[in-house]
């Protein structure tokens, strides 16, 4: 049975990321004939002897003119063994926020490294993002191997640097592959030239990786996004008394009869029905979007969390968290922000900035502020209870956004390290 894998690409500018994505689309026969004809025509007009596959992915006019990827673009392709959703993320440091967005739902990050330049600051930043977001798998494609005459020693030196950085960030599942996106070496098929490399080609790795976590091993987490209660507005009289809670299951499995708790109120109740469109389900699991009906008529609003009664997060007003700062203006202690966790938004104040990650040494350094694209550790005090939990335990309910309360713009992507700010280690960047 074909399974779905979500992947995100990352890499510095000019590392060949767009060409790699184009090569994957081309080699998996995911390009329409007229698209390929257009790429070949434009390539000839530019004086190229072959098709520039990067033209397949740089969809915006500004991207084509500047030769860089600006916005996250989602591509879809498939092989006989698996379907893929690919988030093509920008490489320019200015668009790190887009990389964070594209990586946040990925099962694997494919990180491009130009073998001639080796590990750069942007490489470290992207690996740090993969670590912070707990992306399950990382594949590093050491690109342009053809430009160093397929030299093994050059590849091995870069591989050692990559693994040193990855180990420092706590990344354990890292695969390093020598590739040439331009020529196609070790992309869809193993290259006959890199005889010293005995590992799989990139597409082989992507076809074999497990996708996502098994929801059956996770406790139920159901953020309520909408309360459905039509009352006198019901088109059908039998729905006049209907009361359901709609949302997307963030983790776990739910069945009629399950005892659940509504947070932050702490009220207990049971699930009596699960609705999906016009049919009723015996079971639902992450990431399905469904409507739950409960046995008790209790006060539940958008932003509340319905969780497994036997395994639930404790609402808290204090967070120890890692943030990737995405705003032009710096973050300083005492700043007032909004914390958006799932469908719930609460006011908060930045109590302290404990450290900023030094991308060269991978050590936290004392800092008074966080600038654009800095990764830092902060402590937040919330104005209301928030039913969240450590990101290491629950990827969806442990993530949040910091939002500007005046402009409503996104300031940072955050991951909860602990709901006990006095119990953590300020220098531990592995969450």
């Amino acid at each position: 049975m074909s399974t779905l894998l979500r992947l995100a690409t990352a890499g510095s500018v000019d590392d060949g990321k767009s060409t790699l994505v184009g090569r994957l689309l081309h080699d998996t026969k995911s390009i329409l004939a007229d698209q390929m004809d257009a790429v070949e025509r434009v390539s000839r007009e530019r004086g190229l002897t072959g098709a520039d596959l990067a033209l397949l992915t740089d969809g915006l006019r500004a991207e084509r003119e500047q030769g860089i990827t600006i916005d996250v673009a989602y591509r879809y392709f498939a092989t006989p063994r698996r379907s893929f959703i690919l988030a093509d993320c920008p490489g320019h440091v200015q668009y790190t926020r887009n990389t964070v967005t594209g990586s946040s739902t990925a099962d694997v990050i494919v990180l491009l490294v130009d073998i001639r330049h080796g590990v750069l600051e942007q490489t470290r930043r992207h690996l740090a993002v993969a670590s912070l977001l707990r992306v399950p798998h990382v594949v590093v494609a050491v690109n342009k191997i053809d430009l160093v005459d397929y030299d093994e020693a050059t590849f091995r030196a870069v591989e050692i640097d990559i693994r040193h950085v990855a180990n420092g960030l706590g990344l354990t599942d890292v695969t390093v592959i020598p590739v040439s996106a331009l020529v196609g070496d070790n992309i869809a098929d193993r290259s006959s030239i890199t005889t010293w490399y005995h590992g799989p080609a990139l597409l082989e790795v992507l076809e074999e990786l497990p996708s996502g976590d098994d929801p059956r091993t996770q406790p139920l987490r159901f953020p309520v996004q909408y309360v459905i209660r039509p009352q006198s507005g019901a088109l059908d009289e039998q729905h006049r008394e209907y009361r359901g809670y709609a949302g997307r299951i963030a983790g776990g499995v739910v069945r009629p009869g399950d005892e659940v708790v509504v947070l932050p109120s702490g009220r207990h109740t049971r699930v009596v029905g699960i609705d999906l469109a016009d049919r009723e389900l015996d079971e639902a699991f992450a990431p399905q979007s469904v409507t739950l009906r409960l046995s008790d008529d209790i006060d539940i609003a958008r932003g509340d969390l319905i969780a497994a009664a036997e395994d639930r997060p404790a609402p808290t007003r204090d967070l120890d968290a890692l943030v990737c700062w995405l705003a032009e203006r710096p973050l300083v202690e005492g700043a007032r922000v909004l914390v958006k966790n799932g469908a719930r938004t609460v006011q908060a104040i930045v109590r302290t900035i404990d450290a900023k990650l030094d991308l060269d040494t991978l050590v936290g350094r004392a800092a008074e502020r966080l600038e654009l694209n800095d990764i830092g550790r902060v402590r937040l005090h919330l104005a209301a209870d928030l039913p969240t939990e450590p990101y290491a335990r629950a990827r969806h309910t442990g993530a949040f956004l910091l939002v500007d309360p005046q402009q409503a713009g996104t300031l940072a992507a955050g991951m909860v390290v602990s709901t006990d700010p006095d119990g953590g280690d300020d220098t531990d960047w592995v969450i």
Side-chain angles (χ1 to χ4, degrees):
M1 181 177 67
S2 177
T3 57
L4 175 67
L5 187 79
R6 297 176 182 272
L7 63 144
T9 58
S12 302
V13 174
D14 294 333
D15 279 353
K17 183 168 49 58
S18 295
T19 303
L20 174 74
V21 175
R23 173 61 64 182
L24 278 172
L25 297 176
H26 177 270
D27 289 0
T28 55
K29 298 180 174 54
S30 304
I31 305 170
L32 299 176
D34 59 337
Q35 289 178 304
M36 197 64 209
D37 290 343
V39 167
E40 291 174 341
R41 184 183 69 254
V42 173
S43 298
R44 285 194 300 272
E45 292 172 355
R46 293 183 177 182
L48 302 176
T49 56
D52 181 0
L53 297 178
L55 295 173
L56 289 166
T57 60
D58 291 338
L60 300 176
R61 181 175 181 179
E63 292 179 340
R64 293 193 294 269
E65 291 175 346
Q66 298 180 51
I68 63 173
T69 302
I70 295 174
D71 201 1
V72 179
Y74 290 89
R75 317 287 176 185
Y76 307 89
F77 65 98
T79 67
R81 301 179 61 184
R82 169 166 268 179
S83 299
F84 300 91
I85 298 177
L86 185 153
D88 186 14
C89 304
H92 198 288
V93 66
Q94 180 182 349
Y95 305 112
T96 297
R97 72 191 73 183
N98 305 48
T99 302
V100 173
T101 301
S103 303
S104 61
T105 57
D107 298 311
V108 55
I109 280 184
V110 177
L111 176 61
L112 267 287
V113 172
D114 187 328
I115 193 169
R116 299 170 301 172
H117 303 145
V119 174
L120 304 174
E121 178 180 321
Q122 191 69 335
T123 311
R124 295 171 182 273
R125 181 174 282 108
H126 287 152
L127 286 171
V129 168
S131 173
L132 294 178
L133 294 176
R134 294 183 67 81
V135 180
H137 315 283
V138 175
V139 177
V140 182
V142 180
N143 194 23
K144 306 187 183 182
I145 186 74
D146 54 310
L147 297 185
V148 295
D149 295 327
Y150 299 91
D151 182 60
E152 180 182 8
T154 306
F155 168 75
R156 297 300 179 196
V158 175
E159 182 184 22
I160 289 172
D161 290 344
I162 291 168
R163 294 197 180 281
H164 174 72
V165 176
N167 290 338
L169 291 166
L171 292 167
T172 56
D173 190 335
V174 179
T175 303
V176 186
I177 307 173
V179 306
S180 170
L182 181 65
V183 181
D185 290 303
N186 292 324
I187 302 295
D189 301 300
R190 301 185 190 191
S191 172
S192 60
I193 304 176
T194 55
T195 55
W196 40 266
Y197 173 71
H198 304 292
L202 174 61
L203 195 57
E204 290 181 85
V205 175
L206 298 180
E207 287 183 324
E208 294 292 335
L209 285 175
S211 59
D213 298 323
D214 184 356
R216 297 173 192 278
T217 64
Q218 305 164 15
L220 174 66
R221 299 290 185 263
F222 183 80
V224 176
Q225 296 177 339
Y226 190 66
V227 179
I228 301 176
R229 194 183 181 200
Q231 297 181 296
S232 59
L235 297 178
D236 190 326
E237 186 63 26
Q238 66 173 334
H239 295 143
R240 179 179 289 272
E241 300 302 321
Y242 185 91
R243 180 191 288 262
Y245 305 96
R248 185 183 184 192
I249 302 174
V253 181
V254 62
R255 303 178 183 86
D258 285 353
E259 183 181 2
V260 296
V261 61
V262 181
L263 299 172
S265 70
R267 296 287 301 274
H268 284 246
T269 184
R270 287 190 182 277
V271 176
V272 296
I274 306 170
D275 298 326
L276 176 63
D278 58 350
R279 59 194 174 101
E280 195 167 337
L281 304 179
D282 295 329
E283 176 184 276
F285 49 84
Q288 285 182 297
S289 293
V290 296
T291 300
L292 301 185
R293 285 180 281 117
L294 305 177
S295 60
D296 299 291
D297 185 12
I298 57 180
D299 182 22
I300 300 176
R302 171 182 165 83
D304 286 355
L305 180 72
I306 297 176
E310 73 280 6
D311 188 347
R312 62 177 190 172
T316 181
R317 292 200 178 193
D318 293 285
L319 296 179
D320 174 11
L322 293 171
V323 297
C324 182
W325 190 248
L326 305 174
E328 295 287 346
R329 64 179 175 84
L331 176 68
V332 296
E333 292 183 356
R336 296 184 182 276
V337 295
L338 297 177
V339 174
K340 181 174 174 54
N341 175 247
R344 190 175 186 83
T345 301
V346 300
Q347 297 179 359
I349 187 170
V350 180
R351 201 170 70 179
T352 60
I353 297 175
D354 294 326
K356 181 176 74 173
L357 179 63
D358 185 322
L359 290 171
D360 291 323
T361 64
L362 303 180
V363 173
R365 303 292 188 193
E368 296 181 349
R369 57 174 55 197
L370 296 181
E371 305 284 353
L372 176 65
N373 294 320
D374 279 348
I375 296 170
R377 190 147 179 177
V378 302
R379 301 186 188 209
L380 303 170
H381 182 67
L382 312 177
D385 287 343
L386 191 67
T388 186
E389 56 197 319
Y391 187 84
R393 185 168 189 269
R395 191 176 176 188
H396 293 281
T397 50
F400 63 87
L401 295 176
L402 294 185
V403 178
D404 188 322
Q406 279 79 45
Q407 305 295 327
T410 300
L411 298 173
M415 286 67 65
V416 175
V417 176
S418 171
T419 54
D420 176 15
D422 297 324
D425 178 355
D426 293 345
T427 62
D428 181 10
W429 293 89
V430 180
I431 61 175

